[in-house]
Amino acid sequence: MSCVSTTSQGHPQVSRIPSDLDIHRMPAHVAIIMDGNGRWAQARGLPRMMGHRAGVEALKTTLRLCNDWGIKALTAYAFSTENWSRPGDEVSFLMTLFERVLQQELDSLEKEQVQIRFLGDLEALPKRLQNLIEEATKRTALNKGIHFNVCTNYGGRRELVLAAKKLAERSASGELDPALIDENIFSAELLTADEVDPDLLIRTSGENRISNFLLWQLAYAEIHVTEVLWPDFNSVELKKALIDYQSRSRRFGGLDPISPSEQINS
Ligand code: IPE
Ligand code: IPE
Ligand code: MG
């Protein structure tokens, strides 16, 4: 790994970006569906919960790498609106795990200039977790480093319905002319209102689906699916995902940019 000096997001740390990555083509926003914790544990003859615990370590590593490599936002899917359908002991283990990890990590997040936010229907979470989320959000709100969005009790469809409801209410009260509703006004009602859309979506464990994650925001994300199970995700895997991303031609419905000589011949 070579050391390329850069100050990311104006914060004082020097980033170390691997030399095989193009510093000028880094994604601004990476979203991750952290999948495969249960299978990772089962493959080792361990209870699923151990997979979730190991998954936390992978997330901590990934967050620090993204921050160091100058990525401006990381959005991680931690618990979906559908995950409540899992056995009660797994759900309560996850809630306790979120609480414990947040408590343990908050000082470091603050020091490392991470701005943490939780996206989802937070009111359905245990009260102690809600309080901790509020504290963490407040304590890191002015941090200048990476935006770390943790999707907790998050569902893309629910987010869209809530946005539609909010716009309907604003229209009914006369505050908003429905004729003016456009994509910008709509996306300003989403939980990700302050973020650019993800450039890169990573999904681990080989599943080729988005499982109700960021349905609106992923419209033009590049998708990288890896067979690696989430607890095994590390700097090598992140680098592979970024190299894959940098190899893509992002056309957004247009054409590849062509060189001036090709233009003359065409
Ligand atoms: C992802 O791992 C974590 C959560 C959804 C909370 P899984 O628990 O879905 O692991 P698999 O897919 O069963 O292996
Ligand atoms: C997606 O994983 C949700 C999270 C990673 C939090 P799931 O394991 O819940 O997704 P499906 O059931 O395989 O689609
Ligand atoms: Mg899964």
Side-chain angles (χ1 to χ4, degrees):
M1 191 185 278
S2 77
C3 186
V4 178
S5 296
T6 173
T7 48
S8 57
Q9 305 99 29
H11 84 90
Q13 270 170 7
V14 172
S15 300
R16 291 163 63 86
I17 296 182
S19 56
D20 33 5
L21 285 175
D22 180 348
I23 192 174
H24 303 294
R25 296 192 64 200
M26 294 295 277
H29 185 172
V30 174
I32 307 189
I33 301 176
M34 310 181 289
D35 199 13
N37 293 351
R39 277 164 282 173
W40 182 92
Q42 275 155 6
R44 287 162 178 73
L46 298 169
R48 291 177 57 83
M49 320 299 170
M50 298 304 281
H52 294 313
R53 225 177 246 165
V56 169
E57 296 310 309
L59 181 57
K60 280 165 37 182
T61 304
T62 304
L63 171 64
R64 277 168 193 131
L65 288 166
C66 287
N67 201 14
D68 284 351
W69 294 354
I71 290 164
K72 293 184 171 51
L74 173 68
T75 300
Y77 206 3
F79 192 88
S80 73
T81 47
E82 289 71 33
N83 288 147
W84 294 107
S85 66
R86 295 189 178 200
D89 60 343
E90 180 165 347
V91 170
S92 42
F93 179 88
L94 284 166
M95 295 300 150
T96 310
L97 183 68
F98 296 156
E99 195 184 314
R100 226 193 37 227
V101 171
L102 191 52
Q103 193 131 44
Q104 282 166 358
E105 293 301 310
L106 189 48
D107 284 349
S108 314
L109 294 171
E110 210 174 11
K111 248 184 251 139
E112 290 165 31
Q113 287 296 314
V114 174
Q115 194 185 107
I116 192 168
R117 271 188 300 183
F118 291 80
L119 312 184
D121 178 3
L122 306 180
E123 284 181 9
L125 302 175
K127 194 71 191 138
R128 281 214 321 244
L129 179 57
Q130 284 185 48
N131 292 341
L132 206 51
I133 284 176
E134 201 185 324
E135 184 194 344
T137 309
K138 273 195 193 138
R139 270 174 59 184
T140 64
L142 298 177
N143 280 356
K144 298 278 183 279
I146 193 166
H147 291 184
F148 179 35
N149 304 308
V150 187
C151 292
T152 316
N153 194 19
Y154 173 88
R157 286 185 169 179
R158 185 175 294 179
E159 180 184 34
L160 292 171
V161 168
L162 289 176
K165 218 183 235 177
K166 192 76 205 291
L167 291 170
E169 283 165 5
R170 287 175 58 196
S171 298
S173 73
E175 181 209 323
L176 177 68
D177 175 358
L180 296 180
I181 297 173
D182 61 8
E183 291 181 11
N184 287 331
I185 290 183
F186 196 95
S187 65
E189 294 297 344
L190 299 175
L191 296 167
T192 50
D194 305 330
E195 299 293 2
V196 296
D197 286 343
D199 301 292
L200 168 64
L201 170 71
I202 299 171
R203 180 162 187 156
T204 56
S205 86
E207 307 291 357
N208 289 288
R209 55 176 172 261
I210 55 175
S211 303
N212 204 12
F213 190 41
L214 302 175
L215 297 181
W216 170 285
Q217 298 89 335
L218 293 174
Y220 265 104
E222 296 299 325
I223 301 177
H224 174 87
V225 176
T226 169
E227 294 295 323
V228 165
L229 303 173
W230 175 249
D232 290 329
F233 195 83
N234 56 18
S235 65
V236 173
E237 294 305 323
L238 179 63
K239 199 173 80 175
K240 274 191 208 160
L242 292 169
I243 289 173
D244 185 17
Y245 168 79
Q246 293 188 339
S247 76
R248 306 284 178 87
S249 165
R250 302 190 75 191
R251 290 187 287 276
F252 300 99
L255 300 176
D256 271 331
I258 52 176
S259 67
S261 62
E262 279 174 300
Q263 255 166 22
I264 290 162
N265 295 333
S266 63

